[in-house]
Amino acid sequence: YKRRLAVFSLVLAVANEACGQRPATPQRAEFWGFTGPWEDASTASVRAHGGQLGAVINGWITIDSSSALPVIPSPYLDTVRPRAGTPARMAIVTSWHGDGFHTAPIRRLAGDPRRLATAAGSIARYAQRMRYNGLVLDFESLQGSDLPTLLKVSKAIADSAHAHRVRTVAMAIPATDTEAYPARPLLGVVDALVVMLYDQHWAGSEPGPIAEPLWVRSSLGARVREVGPSRLIAALPAYGYRWRKGQATESIGYADAVRMSNAVRAPLQRDPTSQFLHARGRDGSEIWVSDAALFGTLVRECQALGLNRFAIWRLGEEDPAIWGSVVR
């Protein structure tokens, strides 16, 4: 019996080879890393672990809220330089300025073809000069009625970038806002969508997990049903928040969370429902933070939906164990 089984297996393998069919092998996951180029911890994380990433988004191009033109050169020095063994380098193009996202300059660009051409050309030439492999557009806080505006501005930037040999132009989109950021029309003007699977609870909300697995599965599943998984990148949180009564909520990293919880003698514990680490201080403050175990769970949720590209928001705030247990 064993001899016949071995012969059958050999015949089947030869037949598959002849037909150009080979046994399916798991595709290796690819990870992108977003940085805060103004933070030493981000730079240190890139230098220590950048070789494990497919891309690092370390460039920062702001759309000025007054002129609607890109601020070039960037006020944030990009210290990642292209050389053998380093990840692809990319830049974010964002309407964030000061304390939030500004929608007026994006609308202004859409209504002024000459200014839009100037902005798109400046971004593309700067990206080419900096030898960026790609751009990530981040124009948040727009409304559903702004979709024609978003498409027009994004297409101009993407077309100009491609003409200047910038390979990939992606767009960061909120996970659940399918009205202002519908996947199908956006993929008509950019190459990929970075689905921001975080801030289920945010700085202005009640305390709670930032991206519990069930919420990630539901939010991402809706996007996959829109366009399929192949051009989606799942952006997952490596950070946390500390909510305090009567004070502004802080965005914190894993090391901050450990230090803060120890300081108030409220050790971090695994929340059984969301799997986030959680601590509650005697003063009523609450900490919810991601760690390597939670991050791995979220990656598996996304893989179950067919995705194999992921983005870490953001480097310098992650649990160091992520590099051995998840990003390998």
Side-chain angles (χ1 to χ4, degrees), residues 38 60-65 76 93-102 138-141:
W38 53 87
W60 190 277
I61 304 172
T62 301
I63 302 297
D64 183 67
S65 58
Y76 304 115
V93 182
T94 181
S95 56
W96 174 276
H97 180 68
D99 60 352
F101 286 94
H102 293 257
D138 186 24
F139 305 142
E140 298 178 47
S141 298

Side-chain angles (χ1 to χ4, degrees), residues 110-126:
D112 187 338
R114 182 173 296 180
R115 187 174 296 268
L116 177 57
T118 299
S122 296
I123 292 168
R125 289 190 296 273
Y126 180 69

Side-chain angles (χ1 to χ4, degrees), residues 67-143:
S67 67
L69 295 175
V71 179
I72 292 175
S74 172
Y76 304 115
L77 181 65
D78 185 349
T79 58
V80 178
R81 289 291 177 265
R83 61 181 183 272
T86 60
R89 296 168 60 254
M90 302 177 73
I92 193 168
V93 182
T94 181
S95 56
W96 174 276
H97 180 68
D99 60 352
F101 286 94
H102 293 257
T103 56
I106 305 304
R107 294 169 181 146
R108 183 179 180 185
L109 287 175
D112 187 338
R114 182 173 296 180
R115 187 174 296 268
L116 177 57
T118 299
S122 296
I123 292 168
R125 289 190 296 273
Y126 180 69
Q128 186 179 45
R129 186 164 68 251
M130 291 295 291
R131 298 171 65 183
Y132 289 131
N133 300 83
L135 300 172
V136 177
L137 310 184
D138 186 24
F139 305 142
E140 298 178 47
S141 298
L142 293 168
Q143 304 299 313

